[in-house]
Amino acid sequence: MVFQYSCRRIQYLVLLLVFLASTQSESVTSLEADEENECSSPLVLPEPDRLVAIGDIHGDLGKLKDALELAQVWDTSRDEWIGGETVVVQLGDQVDRGDYELEVTALLRKVAAQARAAGGALHILLGNHEILCAAGDVRYATPGAIDKFDAWNRTCSNKDELPPDVADKHSCELWSEPLECAALDGYCKQSLSKLPASHHSRFLAMRVGGPFAKLWAEERHSLLVIGDTLFVHGGISIDDVSRGCSGLLELDQSVKGWLRGEYDTQAAKEFWSAVMGSDVGDPPPPLPPQYSMPPAASDENGPFWNRQLALPQDSTYGNSIGPSMCALLDQTLQSLPVHGVKRLVVGHTVQPMGIVQDCGSSGWSEASIFKVDVGMSKGLLGNNAQVLEILKGGVVTVLKSSEPQVVGLDSFVHHIGL
Protein backbone atom coordinates (compact mmCIF):
# COMPACT_ATOMS: atom_id res chain seq x y z
CA MET A 1 0.00 0.00 0.00
CA VAL A 2 2.87 2.34 0.78
CA PHE A 3 4.28 1.67 -2.68
CA GLN A 4 0.91 2.34 -4.35
CA TYR A 5 0.53 5.56 -2.37
CA SER A 6 4.03 6.68 -3.38
CA CYS A 7 3.29 5.97 -7.03
CA ARG A 8 0.06 7.94 -6.87
CA ARG A 9 1.91 10.78 -5.17
CA ILE A 10 4.62 10.77 -7.84
CA GLN A 11 1.95 10.76 -10.58
CA TYR A 12 0.24 13.68 -8.89
CA LEU A 13 3.50 15.61 -8.67
CA VAL A 14 4.25 14.94 -12.33
CA LEU A 15 0.78 16.13 -13.34
CA LEU A 16 1.18 19.20 -11.16
CA LEU A 17 4.54 20.04 -12.75
CA VAL A 18 3.05 19.61 -16.24
CA PHE A 19 0.15 21.87 -15.31
CA LEU A 20 2.45 24.55 -13.87
CA ALA A 21 4.68 24.39 -16.94
CA SER A 22 1.71 24.81 -19.28
CA THR A 23 0.40 27.71 -17.18
CA GLN A 24 3.78 29.40 -17.27
CA SER A 25 3.90 28.90 -21.04
CA GLU A 26 0.44 30.44 -21.41
CA SER A 27 1.49 33.36 -19.21
CA VAL A 28 4.58 33.97 -21.34
CA THR A 29 2.46 33.79 -24.51
CA SER A 30 -0.05 36.21 -23.00
CA LEU A 31 2.75 38.57 -21.96
CA GLU A 32 4.25 38.45 -25.43
CA ALA A 33 0.83 39.27 -26.90
CA ASP A 34 0.44 42.18 -24.48
CA GLU A 35 3.88 43.50 -25.42
CA GLU A 36 3.04 43.22 -29.10
CA ASN A 37 -0.32 45.00 -28.69
CA GLU A 38 0.09 46.83 -25.40
CA CYS A 39 -3.25 48.64 -25.69
CA SER A 40 -6.18 46.30 -26.25
CA SER A 41 -8.96 48.73 -27.10
CA PRO A 42 -11.64 49.38 -29.73
CA LEU A 43 -9.69 52.59 -30.40
CA VAL A 44 -6.61 50.65 -31.55
CA LEU A 45 -6.83 48.73 -34.83
CA PRO A 46 -4.30 46.78 -36.91
CA GLU A 47 -2.56 48.26 -39.92
CA PRO A 48 -4.32 47.47 -43.22
CA ASP A 49 -2.62 47.20 -46.58
CA ARG A 50 -4.30 50.43 -47.69
CA LEU A 51 -5.61 53.27 -45.54
CA VAL A 52 -7.33 56.47 -46.73
CA ALA A 53 -8.17 59.65 -44.80
CA ILE A 54 -10.97 62.07 -45.79
CA GLY A 55 -11.31 65.50 -44.20
CA ASP A 56 -14.30 67.59 -43.13
CA ILE A 57 -17.49 67.26 -45.22
CA HIS A 58 -19.85 69.88 -43.79
CA GLY A 59 -23.05 68.77 -45.45
CA ASP A 60 -21.70 68.67 -49.01
CA LEU A 61 -22.91 65.42 -50.58
CA GLY A 62 -21.25 66.03 -53.94
CA LYS A 63 -17.83 66.58 -52.41
CA LEU A 64 -18.19 63.49 -50.23
CA LYS A 65 -18.85 61.44 -53.37
CA ASP A 66 -15.86 63.10 -55.06
CA ALA A 67 -13.64 62.16 -52.11
CA LEU A 68 -14.83 58.56 -52.07
CA GLU A 69 -14.23 58.24 -55.81
CA LEU A 70 -10.76 59.81 -55.49
CA ALA A 71 -10.05 57.21 -52.84
CA GLN A 72 -11.09 54.55 -55.39
CA VAL A 73 -13.49 52.93 -52.93
CA TRP A 74 -16.91 53.98 -54.24
CA ASP A 75 -18.63 53.77 -57.63
CA THR A 76 -21.23 56.54 -57.56
CA SER A 77 -22.92 55.36 -60.75
CA ARG A 78 -23.64 51.96 -59.16
CA ASP A 79 -23.88 53.17 -55.55
CA GLU A 80 -21.41 50.44 -54.67
CA TRP A 81 -18.26 49.86 -52.61
CA ILE A 82 -15.32 48.94 -54.83
CA GLY A 83 -12.52 49.38 -52.28
CA GLY A 84 -12.10 45.73 -51.30
CA GLU A 85 -10.24 45.61 -47.97
CA THR A 86 -9.30 49.31 -47.97
CA VAL A 87 -9.87 51.09 -44.66
CA VAL A 88 -11.19 54.67 -44.82
CA VAL A 89 -11.24 57.18 -41.97
CA GLN A 90 -13.44 60.28 -42.16
CA LEU A 91 -12.11 62.92 -39.74
CA GLY A 92 -15.41 64.35 -38.45
CA ASP A 93 -17.54 67.46 -39.13
CA GLN A 94 -20.13 65.80 -41.32
CA VAL A 95 -22.72 68.44 -40.35
CA ASP A 96 -23.21 72.25 -40.38
CA ARG A 97 -22.53 74.73 -43.20
CA GLY A 98 -24.14 72.54 -45.88
CA ASP A 99 -27.67 71.57 -46.96
CA TYR A 100 -27.18 67.80 -47.28
CA GLU A 101 -26.54 66.63 -43.72
CA LEU A 102 -29.19 63.90 -43.94
CA GLU A 103 -27.93 62.59 -47.27
CA VAL A 104 -24.29 62.70 -46.11
CA THR A 105 -25.16 60.68 -42.99
CA ALA A 106 -27.17 58.15 -44.99
CA LEU A 107 -24.40 57.70 -47.57
CA LEU A 108 -21.70 57.26 -44.92
CA ARG A 109 -23.77 54.54 -43.27
CA LYS A 110 -24.33 52.80 -46.61
CA VAL A 111 -20.62 52.96 -47.46
CA ALA A 112 -19.67 51.63 -44.01
CA ALA A 113 -22.05 48.67 -44.31
CA GLN A 114 -20.85 47.69 -47.78
CA ALA A 115 -17.19 48.14 -46.77
CA ARG A 116 -17.64 45.77 -43.81
CA ALA A 117 -19.27 43.17 -46.04
CA ALA A 118 -16.28 43.31 -48.39
CA GLY A 119 -13.66 43.03 -45.64
CA GLY A 120 -12.83 46.73 -45.60
CA ALA A 121 -14.03 49.48 -43.28
CA LEU A 122 -15.19 53.07 -43.04
CA HIS A 123 -14.47 54.58 -39.62
CA ILE A 124 -16.12 57.92 -38.88
CA LEU A 125 -14.83 60.29 -36.21
CA LEU A 126 -16.67 62.96 -34.28
CA GLY A 127 -15.82 66.58 -35.01
CA ASN A 128 -16.38 69.81 -33.13
CA HIS A 129 -19.50 70.54 -35.20
CA GLU A 130 -21.16 67.31 -34.09
CA ILE A 131 -20.38 68.48 -30.53
CA LEU A 132 -21.83 71.93 -31.22
CA CYS A 133 -25.05 70.51 -32.65
CA ALA A 134 -25.43 68.09 -29.74
CA ALA A 135 -25.08 71.05 -27.38
CA GLY A 136 -27.95 72.78 -29.17
CA ASP A 137 -25.88 75.30 -31.14
CA VAL A 138 -27.76 76.09 -34.37
CA ARG A 139 -25.57 78.95 -35.65
CA TYR A 140 -24.08 77.00 -38.55
CA ALA A 141 -27.23 75.29 -39.81
CA THR A 142 -28.16 76.33 -43.35
CA PRO A 143 -31.74 77.13 -44.34
CA GLY A 144 -31.62 74.18 -46.73
CA ALA A 145 -30.61 71.75 -43.99
CA ILE A 146 -33.30 73.09 -41.65
CA ASP A 147 -35.99 72.63 -44.32
CA LYS A 148 -34.79 69.10 -45.11
CA PHE A 149 -34.97 68.04 -41.46
CA ASP A 150 -38.45 69.55 -41.15
CA ALA A 151 -39.63 67.58 -44.21
CA TRP A 152 -37.78 64.47 -43.00
CA ASN A 153 -39.58 64.46 -39.66
CA ARG A 154 -43.01 65.16 -41.13
CA THR A 155 -42.63 62.59 -43.91
CA CYS A 156 -40.75 59.79 -42.20
CA SER A 157 -42.81 59.54 -39.02
CA ASN A 158 -44.98 57.08 -41.00
CA LYS A 159 -42.12 55.67 -43.04
CA ASP A 160 -43.48 52.11 -43.03
CA GLU A 161 -46.39 53.28 -45.18
CA LEU A 162 -44.27 55.20 -47.72
CA PRO A 163 -43.29 54.01 -51.21
CA PRO A 164 -39.60 53.04 -51.22
CA ASP A 165 -38.58 55.88 -53.51
CA VAL A 166 -40.17 58.49 -51.23
CA ALA A 167 -38.60 56.95 -48.13
CA ASP A 168 -35.21 56.89 -49.86
CA LYS A 169 -35.54 60.51 -51.07
CA HIS A 170 -36.06 61.72 -47.51
CA SER A 171 -33.43 59.43 -45.92
CA CYS A 172 -36.15 57.83 -43.82
CA GLU A 173 -33.84 55.00 -42.73
CA LEU A 174 -32.40 57.59 -40.30
CA TRP A 175 -35.77 58.26 -38.63
CA SER A 176 -36.18 56.11 -35.51
CA GLU A 177 -38.32 57.90 -32.93
CA PRO A 178 -40.61 60.89 -32.37
CA LEU A 179 -38.73 64.15 -31.80
CA GLU A 180 -39.63 65.74 -28.49
CA CYS A 181 -38.13 67.12 -25.30
CA ALA A 182 -38.07 64.79 -22.31
CA ALA A 183 -40.92 65.43 -19.89
CA LEU A 184 -38.68 66.96 -17.22
CA ASP A 185 -36.42 68.84 -19.63
CA GLY A 186 -37.63 72.39 -19.22
CA TYR A 187 -34.39 73.79 -20.65
CA CYS A 188 -35.01 71.92 -23.92
CA LYS A 189 -38.58 73.28 -24.08
CA GLN A 190 -37.34 76.79 -23.39
CA SER A 191 -34.76 76.47 -26.18
CA LEU A 192 -37.48 75.33 -28.60
CA SER A 193 -39.64 78.32 -27.69
CA LYS A 194 -36.88 80.61 -28.97
CA LEU A 195 -36.66 78.88 -32.37
CA PRO A 196 -39.02 79.02 -35.35
CA ALA A 197 -41.15 75.88 -35.60
CA SER A 198 -39.36 74.80 -38.79
CA HIS A 199 -36.07 74.59 -36.83
CA HIS A 200 -37.40 72.18 -34.20
CA SER A 201 -36.82 68.91 -36.05
CA ARG A 202 -33.14 69.45 -36.67
CA PHE A 203 -32.54 70.84 -33.18
CA LEU A 204 -34.23 67.85 -31.49
CA ALA A 205 -32.65 65.26 -33.78
CA MET A 206 -29.09 66.41 -33.06
CA ARG A 207 -29.40 67.52 -29.44
CA VAL A 208 -28.00 65.18 -26.74
CA GLY A 209 -30.34 62.23 -26.37
CA GLY A 210 -31.82 62.79 -29.83
CA PRO A 211 -31.66 60.13 -32.55
CA PHE A 212 -28.72 61.68 -34.42
CA ALA A 213 -26.73 62.24 -31.24
CA LYS A 214 -27.36 58.62 -30.21
CA LEU A 215 -26.36 57.44 -33.69
CA TRP A 216 -23.10 59.41 -33.34
CA ALA A 217 -22.51 57.80 -29.94
CA GLU A 218 -23.03 54.34 -31.42
CA GLU A 219 -21.11 54.69 -34.67
CA ARG A 220 -18.36 57.26 -34.12
CA HIS A 221 -15.25 57.65 -31.97
CA SER A 222 -13.29 60.63 -30.67
CA LEU A 223 -9.97 59.25 -31.98
CA LEU A 224 -8.50 56.11 -33.54
CA VAL A 225 -5.07 54.54 -33.84
CA ILE A 226 -4.79 52.40 -36.95
CA GLY A 227 -1.42 50.76 -37.40
CA ASP A 228 1.19 53.49 -36.99
CA THR A 229 -1.21 56.43 -37.52
CA LEU A 230 -3.26 58.42 -35.01
CA PHE A 231 -6.45 59.98 -36.38
CA VAL A 232 -8.26 62.76 -34.51
CA HIS A 233 -10.45 65.65 -35.65
CA GLY A 234 -8.64 68.65 -34.19
CA GLY A 235 -5.51 67.54 -32.41
CA ILE A 236 -4.36 65.86 -29.21
CA SER A 237 -2.59 67.07 -26.10
CA ILE A 238 0.22 65.28 -24.36
CA ASP A 239 -1.94 65.29 -21.22
CA ASP A 240 -4.64 63.25 -22.98
CA VAL A 241 -2.30 60.67 -24.53
CA SER A 242 -0.45 60.27 -21.22
CA ARG A 243 -3.65 58.96 -19.61
CA GLY A 244 -2.85 55.50 -20.93
CA CYS A 245 -4.99 52.99 -22.76
CA SER A 246 -7.85 53.02 -20.23
CA GLY A 247 -7.72 56.80 -20.03
CA LEU A 248 -8.20 57.24 -23.77
CA LEU A 249 -11.10 54.78 -23.75
CA GLU A 250 -12.62 56.67 -20.80
CA LEU A 251 -12.28 59.91 -22.80
CA ASP A 252 -14.11 58.36 -25.75
CA GLN A 253 -16.80 56.81 -23.57
CA SER A 254 -17.44 60.07 -21.70
CA VAL A 255 -18.30 61.78 -24.98
CA LYS A 256 -20.51 58.89 -26.08
CA GLY A 257 -22.38 58.93 -22.76
CA TRP A 258 -23.00 62.66 -23.06
CA LEU A 259 -24.32 62.25 -26.61
CA ARG A 260 -26.72 59.57 -25.41
CA GLY A 261 -28.10 62.08 -22.91
CA GLU A 262 -26.58 60.55 -19.79
CA TYR A 263 -25.84 62.91 -16.93
CA ASP A 264 -24.87 62.90 -13.25
CA THR A 265 -28.16 63.09 -11.36
CA GLN A 266 -26.50 64.42 -8.20
CA ALA A 267 -24.79 67.19 -10.18
CA ALA A 268 -28.12 67.96 -11.88
CA LYS A 269 -29.89 68.13 -8.53
CA GLU A 270 -27.29 70.52 -7.12
CA PHE A 271 -27.36 72.67 -10.27
CA TRP A 272 -31.14 73.06 -10.42
CA SER A 273 -31.48 73.49 -6.67
CA ALA A 274 -29.01 76.38 -6.90
CA VAL A 275 -30.84 77.87 -9.90
CA MET A 276 -34.32 77.48 -8.40
CA GLY A 277 -33.32 78.28 -4.84
CA SER A 278 -35.03 75.16 -3.54
CA ASP A 279 -34.86 71.37 -3.68
CA VAL A 280 -36.02 70.09 -7.10
CA GLY A 281 -36.75 66.55 -5.97
CA ASP A 282 -35.97 63.19 -7.60
CA PRO A 283 -35.35 62.63 -10.38
CA PRO A 284 -34.00 66.09 -11.17
CA PRO A 285 -34.39 67.66 -14.64
CA PRO A 286 -31.52 66.90 -17.03
CA LEU A 287 -28.58 69.27 -17.00
CA PRO A 288 -28.40 71.68 -19.95
CA PRO A 289 -26.03 70.06 -22.50
CA GLN A 290 -23.32 72.69 -22.12
CA TYR A 291 -23.20 72.01 -18.36
CA SER A 292 -23.16 68.22 -18.61
CA MET A 293 -20.54 68.24 -21.39
CA PRO A 294 -17.42 66.25 -20.44
CA PRO A 295 -14.02 68.00 -20.52
CA ALA A 296 -13.03 65.98 -23.59
CA ALA A 297 -15.79 67.72 -25.56
CA SER A 298 -15.43 71.22 -24.14
CA ASP A 299 -11.71 71.69 -23.50
CA GLU A 300 -9.97 73.88 -26.08
CA ASN A 301 -7.04 71.44 -25.92
CA GLY A 302 -9.33 68.43 -26.31
CA PRO A 303 -9.53 66.26 -29.44
CA PHE A 304 -12.28 68.30 -31.14
CA TRP A 305 -10.85 71.82 -30.73
CA ASN A 306 -7.08 71.51 -30.41
CA ARG A 307 -5.09 73.34 -33.11
CA GLN A 308 -1.75 73.38 -31.26
CA LEU A 309 0.01 71.12 -33.77
CA ALA A 310 -1.90 72.37 -36.81
CA LEU A 311 -1.48 76.16 -36.83
CA PRO A 312 1.92 77.92 -37.12
CA GLN A 313 2.62 79.95 -33.99
CA ASP A 314 4.19 82.79 -36.01
CA SER A 315 5.62 83.47 -39.47
CA THR A 316 9.21 82.49 -38.58
CA TYR A 317 8.95 79.12 -40.32
CA GLY A 318 6.39 80.01 -42.97
CA ASN A 319 3.54 77.51 -43.02
CA SER A 320 5.35 75.07 -40.71
CA ILE A 321 4.70 74.82 -36.99
CA GLY A 322 8.49 74.95 -36.48
CA PRO A 323 11.11 72.81 -34.69
CA SER A 324 9.85 73.23 -31.12
CA MET A 325 6.29 72.19 -31.99
CA CYS A 326 7.57 69.33 -34.15
CA ALA A 327 9.53 68.15 -31.13
CA LEU A 328 6.26 68.30 -29.16
CA LEU A 329 4.62 66.17 -31.86
CA ASP A 330 7.33 63.52 -31.36
CA GLN A 331 6.88 63.66 -27.60
CA THR A 332 3.10 63.41 -27.89
CA LEU A 333 3.08 60.37 -30.15
CA GLN A 334 5.77 58.67 -28.08
CA SER A 335 3.56 59.15 -25.00
CA LEU A 336 0.72 57.17 -26.55
CA PRO A 337 0.04 53.78 -24.95
CA VAL A 338 0.66 52.28 -28.41
CA HIS A 339 4.26 52.00 -29.55
CA GLY A 340 5.48 52.91 -33.02
CA VAL A 341 2.92 55.59 -33.98
CA LYS A 342 4.76 57.82 -36.44
CA ARG A 343 2.13 60.13 -37.89
CA LEU A 344 -0.84 62.24 -36.80
CA VAL A 345 -3.71 62.95 -39.23
CA VAL A 346 -6.12 65.78 -38.40
CA GLY A 347 -8.98 67.73 -39.94
CA HIS A 348 -10.56 70.88 -38.40
CA THR A 349 -7.93 73.44 -39.49
CA VAL A 350 -8.57 74.35 -43.13
CA GLN A 351 -5.66 74.11 -45.57
CA PRO A 352 -6.70 76.37 -48.49
CA MET A 353 -3.90 75.14 -50.78
CA GLY A 354 -4.55 71.45 -50.19
CA ILE A 355 -3.38 68.69 -47.84
CA VAL A 356 -0.23 69.65 -45.93
CA GLN A 357 2.51 67.51 -44.42
CA ASP A 358 4.58 69.07 -41.65
CA CYS A 359 7.46 68.17 -39.34
CA GLY A 360 8.77 64.79 -40.56
CA SER A 361 9.59 66.09 -44.04
CA SER A 362 11.53 69.05 -42.58
CA GLY A 363 13.87 66.92 -40.50
CA TRP A 364 12.71 68.57 -37.26
CA SER A 365 11.11 65.39 -35.96
CA GLU A 366 10.73 61.70 -36.67
CA ALA A 367 6.95 61.98 -36.77
CA SER A 368 4.79 63.81 -39.30
CA ILE A 369 1.45 65.58 -39.08
CA PHE A 370 -0.90 65.57 -42.07
CA LYS A 371 -3.63 68.21 -42.21
CA VAL A 372 -6.38 66.94 -44.50
CA ASP A 373 -9.24 69.45 -44.20
CA VAL A 374 -9.03 71.28 -47.55
CA GLY A 375 -12.30 73.19 -47.11
CA MET A 376 -14.03 71.20 -49.84
CA SER A 377 -17.57 72.00 -48.71
CA LYS A 378 -19.35 74.76 -50.57
CA GLY A 379 -20.15 76.12 -47.13
CA LEU A 380 -16.43 76.87 -46.70
CA LEU A 381 -14.06 77.25 -49.65
CA GLY A 382 -15.64 74.93 -52.20
CA ASN A 383 -12.19 73.45 -52.88
CA ASN A 384 -11.80 70.31 -54.95
CA ALA A 385 -11.66 67.15 -52.88
CA GLN A 386 -8.34 65.66 -51.82
CA VAL A 387 -7.68 62.51 -49.77
CA LEU A 388 -4.62 61.02 -48.10
CA GLU A 389 -3.53 57.47 -48.96
CA ILE A 390 -1.28 55.51 -46.59
CA LEU A 391 0.03 52.16 -47.83
CA LYS A 392 1.42 49.45 -45.60
CA GLY A 393 5.12 50.07 -45.39
CA GLY A 394 4.75 53.82 -45.05
CA VAL A 395 4.23 55.19 -48.58
CA VAL A 396 1.97 58.25 -48.19
CA THR A 397 0.35 59.97 -51.18
CA VAL A 398 -2.09 62.86 -51.63
CA LEU A 399 -4.76 61.84 -54.13
CA LYS A 400 -6.37 64.76 -55.95
CA SER A 401 -8.11 65.64 -59.17
CA SER A 402 -6.23 67.24 -62.05
CA GLU A 403 -8.27 70.41 -61.68
CA PRO A 404 -6.73 73.30 -59.69
CA GLN A 405 -7.94 74.10 -56.21
CA VAL A 406 -10.58 76.81 -55.91
CA VAL A 407 -9.60 78.98 -52.97
CA GLY A 408 -12.17 81.31 -51.41
CA LEU A 409 -9.96 83.37 -49.12
CA ASP A 410 -12.84 85.44 -47.75
CA SER A 411 -14.56 82.24 -46.60
CA PHE A 412 -11.27 80.97 -45.18
CA VAL A 413 -10.70 84.13 -43.13
CA HIS A 414 -14.25 83.86 -41.82
CA HIS A 415 -13.66 80.23 -40.86
CA ILE A 416 -10.47 80.75 -38.84
CA GLY A 417 -11.09 80.64 -35.14
CA LEU A 418 -14.50 78.94 -35.32
Side-chain angles (χ1 to χ4, degrees):
M1 288 185 64
V2 172
F3 176 75
Q4 290 177 340
Y5 172 77
S6 299
C7 286
R8 284 199 299 271
R9 187 176 183 187
I10 291 170
Q11 288 173 339
Y12 169 78
L13 289 173
V14 169
L15 290 172
L16 179 61
L17 289 172
V18 170
F19 170 76
L20 290 173
S22 66
T23 303
Q24 184 178 18
S25 175
E26 289 173 0
S27 299
V28 171
T29 302
S30 176
L31 179 61
E32 290 173 349
D34 286 344
E35 289 176 348
E36 183 179 344
N37 184 14
E38 64 282 5
C39 183
S40 178
S41 165
L43 304 179
V44 180
L45 302 173
E47 181 180 20
D49 290 335
R50 183 170 184 261
L51 184 57
V52 175
I54 297 175
D56 304 25
I57 299 167
H58 284 301
D60 194 323
L61 181 65
K63 291 299 173 65
L64 171 59
K65 291 179 179 179
D66 289 348
L68 291 169
E69 289 189 333
L70 267 179
Q72 301 166 35
V73 297
W74 189 252
D75 185 331
T76 298
S77 64
R78 300 199 311 247
D79 227 20
E80 186 176 294
W81 174 264
I82 56 172
E85 297 181 354
T86 298
V87 173
V88 179
V89 180
Q90 196 283 315
L91 272 293
D93 278 7
Q94 301 98 43
V95 299
D96 277 343
R97 304 185 186 280
D99 294 347
Y100 296 92
E101 298 165 321
L102 284 162
E103 293 87 347
V104 161
T105 304
L107 178 57
L108 287 171
R109 298 189 87 211
K110 179 185 291 187
V111 173
Q114 291 193 23
R116 280 194 302 272
L122 167 61
H123 301 291
I124 310 168
L125 298 187
L126 291 163
N128 65 303
H129 280 267
E130 281 74 49
I131 300 300
L132 285 171
C133 290
D137 192 329
V138 298
R139 288 176 295 166
Y140 305 105
T142 65
I146 291 167
D147 290 344
K148 282 177 176 289
F149 265 90
D150 187 45
W152 169 76
N153 189 39
R154 285 186 286 103
T155 304
C156 299
S157 58
N158 63 336
K159 63 179 183 179
D160 293 337
E161 302 172 12
L162 295 175
D165 59 330
V166 175
D168 185 60
K169 175 184 176 182
H170 290 279
S171 303
C172 287
E173 69 271 24
L174 300 175
W175 196 96
S176 59
E177 62 190 72
L179 302 179
E180 56 190 8
C181 296
L184 293 175
D185 199 343
Y187 185 83
C188 174
K189 296 171 185 176
Q190 183 183 35
S191 299
L192 279 185
S193 70
K194 298 177 182 178
L195 293 172
S198 61
H199 290 55
H200 290 187
S201 294
R202 183 183 183 276
F203 173 84
L204 290 169
M206 294 190 179
R207 189 178 186 271
V208 292
F212 264 65
K214 288 190 286 191
L215 181 150
W216 296 335
E218 181 182 350
E219 299 182 356
R220 286 144 175 68
H221 288 296
S222 301
L223 70 158
L224 278 177
V225 177
I226 303 180
D228 56 6
T229 305
L230 168 62
F231 296 90
V232 62
H233 176 68
I236 196 83
S237 70
I238 196 164
D239 289 339
D240 279 338
V241 299
S242 298
R243 295 169 61 177
C245 187
S246 61
L248 288 177
L249 186 58
E250 181 182 331
L251 179 156
D252 187 56
Q253 291 299 318
S254 71
V255 176
K256 288 174 176 286
W258 175 72
L259 289 170
R260 287 190 293 263
E262 298 168 6
Y263 62 97
D264 184 327
T265 54
Q266 182 58 37
K269 190 171 184 178
E270 292 173 1
F271 174 86
W272 287 115
S273 294
V275 170
M276 305 298 291
S278 61
D279 188 3
V280 294
D282 289 314
L287 281 167
Q290 59 269 41
Y291 290 99
S292 60
M293 187 183 294
S298 60
D299 189 348
E300 66 178 359
N301 291 318
F304 309 108
W305 302 96
N306 193 321
R307 299 187 196 268
Q308 188 178 31
L309 295 171
L311 276 179
Q313 305 301 302
D314 54 50
S315 59
T316 305
Y317 300 101
N319 291 325
S320 173
I321 59 175
S324 63
M325 298 306 293
C326 288
L328 178 61
L329 172 66
D330 265 352
Q331 186 182 1
T332 301
L333 296 188
Q334 289 165 8
S335 298
L336 278 165
V338 183
H339 296 316
V341 176
K342 61 180 66 171
R343 67 183 67 83
L344 170 64
V345 179
V346 300
H348 189 45
T349 302
V350 175
Q351 308 301 310
M353 301 309 295
I355 291 175
V356 170
Q357 177 185 4
D358 200 358
C359 292
S361 57
S362 65
W364 288 327
S365 64
E366 294 181 9
S368 291
I369 179 171
F370 290 87
K371 296 170 265 192
V372 301
D373 179 7
V374 299
M376 61 181 171
S377 170
K378 292 177 183 176
L380 278 170
L381 309 184
N383 271 348
N384 294 322
Q386 292 189 2
V387 301
L388 188 73
E389 178 188 62
I390 305 169
L391 300 181
K392 196 168 190 176
V395 177
V396 182
T397 307
V398 176
L399 305 179
K400 52 189 174 181
S401 66
S402 58
E403 301 173 13
Q405 290 288 98
V406 178
V407 182
L409 289 178
D410 291 340
S411 297
F412 177 64
V413 170
H414 175 70
H415 170 73
I416 286 295
L418 297 181

